[in-house]
Amino acid sequence: MVENRTQTGTLSIGPQFSEFITLLLTVESLIGVFLYVNSLLIFTFFKKEIFRTSSRYIFFLHTLVGDSMFLVVSNIFLILEMTQTSITLNLCIILIFLGLNLHTTTPLTLTAMSVERYVAICMPLRHAELATPQRAGLCILIIHVLSSIISLVVIFMFLATAPLSFFAENWMCNTEIFIVYKWQGQVRSILYQVYFSVMSVTIIFTYVKIVQAARKAAADKKATSKGRKTVLLHAFQLCLSLMQMFCPFIELAVLEIDLKLYLSVKAFDYIVLILAPRCLSPLIYGLRDEQFYVVLKYYALWGLNKKISPVITEL
């Protein structure tokens, strides 16, 4: 049986308009800061050839670009929902496809980065052979292929079951309108569970192996300690991404109670579970990495501080 769904936004914000504007401006300000920092990091990456030839920094660039694109798309969804604005179904399909793809791309890239750290620390003699820019590019291509599977499955299931009348109307755009039958939601959940289970096992494996390497006398204690902390941060990001899967169910339940509370919960989920995990990437590789931080600091100050040299040593 086809589930009921909302076609157009009829809810009114009413007397809470000023609070709504304040909330929206706060979120948009945080997004602006995030995009500025990411732009500065991307600019720094392209200023040094040694970054462009290192697989871990190539993965880092991929997360920066992917996170920035995801933030723009998810921000469009946030504004549409908070203003209760409906759009055509064809445009919604495009946004959903991009959103689902980018949502999965970051966790997969984090997993690849954890594997790269495992190879660097536990297989140092083969790292130069395995972690090449060409292999990193191939890995990124595979990541995008894997990321597209869930979005294509969701969209194809919808196109195969949705009545033609759906395409003639405007809708409140979110992933739930693509779930016509309950079994489609179950298929989507199973796919996410498989993806995140594989990624979680991979990150746990790399962490355990790095910890074991740290206990060996011949191991580089500083490098293994840093690698262990990096993988832990990746695991924390993955957990936040996993929690994001449950947000739509909580938000829909809150919407039935109170619109004002729904808008607050929506903004909270967006900041904590979408914005925060993507703010960790600059912290992990942009600020914690000494080589990258030196160059970043130089260009962040427009080269005015002559005491800071952009010259770096071998990575």
Side-chain angles (χ1 to χ4, degrees):
M1 181 176 180
V2 179
E3 299 175 351
N4 295 326
R5 57 196 71 236
T6 303
Q7 291 184 8
T8 58
T10 57
L11 295 174
S12 175
I13 297 174
Q16 292 85 27
F17 181 74
S18 60
E19 296 181 16
F20 164 75
I21 292 298
T22 301
L23 183 61
L24 189 59
L25 288 176
T26 300
V27 173
E28 296 305 310
S29 298
L30 291 174
I31 292 172
V33 172
F34 175 86
L35 291 177
Y36 169 74
V37 173
N38 266 20
S39 300
L40 185 58
L41 290 167
I42 293 172
F43 175 80
T44 302
F45 171 86
F46 284 106
K47 294 301 292 185
K48 291 296 176 180
E49 183 180 358
I50 196 169
F51 295 146
R52 302 194 298 269
T53 56
S54 173
S55 59
R56 61 172 168 149
Y57 288 107
I58 292 174
F59 285 132
F60 176 46
L61 174 69
H62 186 246
T63 60
L64 291 174
V65 175
D67 286 348
S68 298
M69 292 176 61
F70 177 77
L71 191 58
V72 171
V73 173
S74 61
N75 188 45
I76 293 174
F77 283 120
L78 180 68
I79 293 175
L80 290 175
E81 284 213 43
M82 295 185 74
T83 59
Q84 295 292 288
T85 303
S86 58
I87 61 176
T88 63
L89 192 58
N90 289 332
L91 178 58
C92 183
I93 289 176
I94 295 174
L95 290 175
I96 290 295
F97 177 79
L98 291 174
L100 290 178
N101 268 14
L102 295 169
H103 170 60
T104 314
T105 295
T106 293
L108 286 171
T109 307
L110 293 176
T111 305
M113 294 169 80
S114 297
V115 173
E116 188 277 333
R117 286 294 82 199
Y118 159 73
V119 174
I121 293 171
C122 301
M123 307 169 62
L125 298 180
R126 299 198 61 193
H127 181 256
E129 173 192 350
L130 297 175
T132 63
Q134 292 76 18
R135 291 180 183 270
L138 177 60
C139 185
I140 289 173
L141 178 61
I142 295 174
I143 286 173
H144 281 283
V145 171
L146 292 175
S147 298
S148 66
I149 291 177
I150 293 180
S151 55
L152 289 176
V153 169
V154 170
I155 291 174
F156 283 150
M157 287 192 303
F158 172 75
L159 294 177
T161 56
L164 292 178
S165 58
F166 276 31
F167 295 87
E169 301 166 345
N170 289 353
W171 298 87
M172 292 294 301
C173 188
N174 57 66
T175 55
E176 299 312 309
I177 70 170
F178 289 84
I179 306 302
V180 180
Y181 297 98
K182 289 185 178 180
W183 64 266
Q184 295 172 323
Q186 294 170 350
V187 171
R188 182 186 62 179
S189 297
I190 291 173
L191 287 175
Y192 272 121
Q193 289 171 15
V194 170
Y195 271 56
F196 280 94
S197 296
V198 173
M199 289 185 286
S200 299
V201 170
T202 302
I203 288 181
I204 292 173
F205 171 80
T206 56
Y207 177 76
V208 171
K209 289 298 183 180
I210 290 174
V211 170
Q212 291 176 348
R215 294 175 180 174
K216 296 181 180 180
D220 185 339
K221 301 297 183 181
K222 183 179 179 180
T224 52
S225 176
K226 199 169 191 178
R228 185 176 69 249
K229 293 177 181 178
T230 298
V231 174
L232 273 179
L233 285 172
H234 288 333
F236 179 65
Q237 287 179 284
L238 186 62
C239 288
L240 290 178
S241 297
L242 182 61
M243 291 172 60
Q244 190 180 332
M245 293 173 54
F246 301 100
C247 289
F249 305 103
I250 298 174
E251 291 166 2
L252 287 174
V254 173
L255 181 59
E256 298 294 329
I257 301 173
D258 181 65
L259 174 60
K260 180 182 177 182
L261 180 60
Y262 166 77
L263 295 176
S264 299
V265 171
K266 185 75 178 178
F268 175 82
D269 290 343
Y270 186 80
I271 294 172
V272 175
L273 300 179
I274 295 180
L275 190 59
R278 285 155 180 83
C279 288
L280 286 176
S281 291
L283 172 64
I284 294 172
Y285 275 94
L287 301 179
R288 290 182 66 245
D289 188 281
E290 296 177 4
Q291 303 282 14
F292 199 89
Y293 176 71
V294 170
V295 184
L296 173 64
K297 188 175 180 181
Y298 175 82
Y299 289 110
L301 298 175
W302 296 288
L304 297 177
N305 192 340
K306 303 303 180 181
K307 295 181 179 180
I308 303 176
S309 172
V311 178
I312 59 177
T313 58
E314 186 177 356
L315 295 175

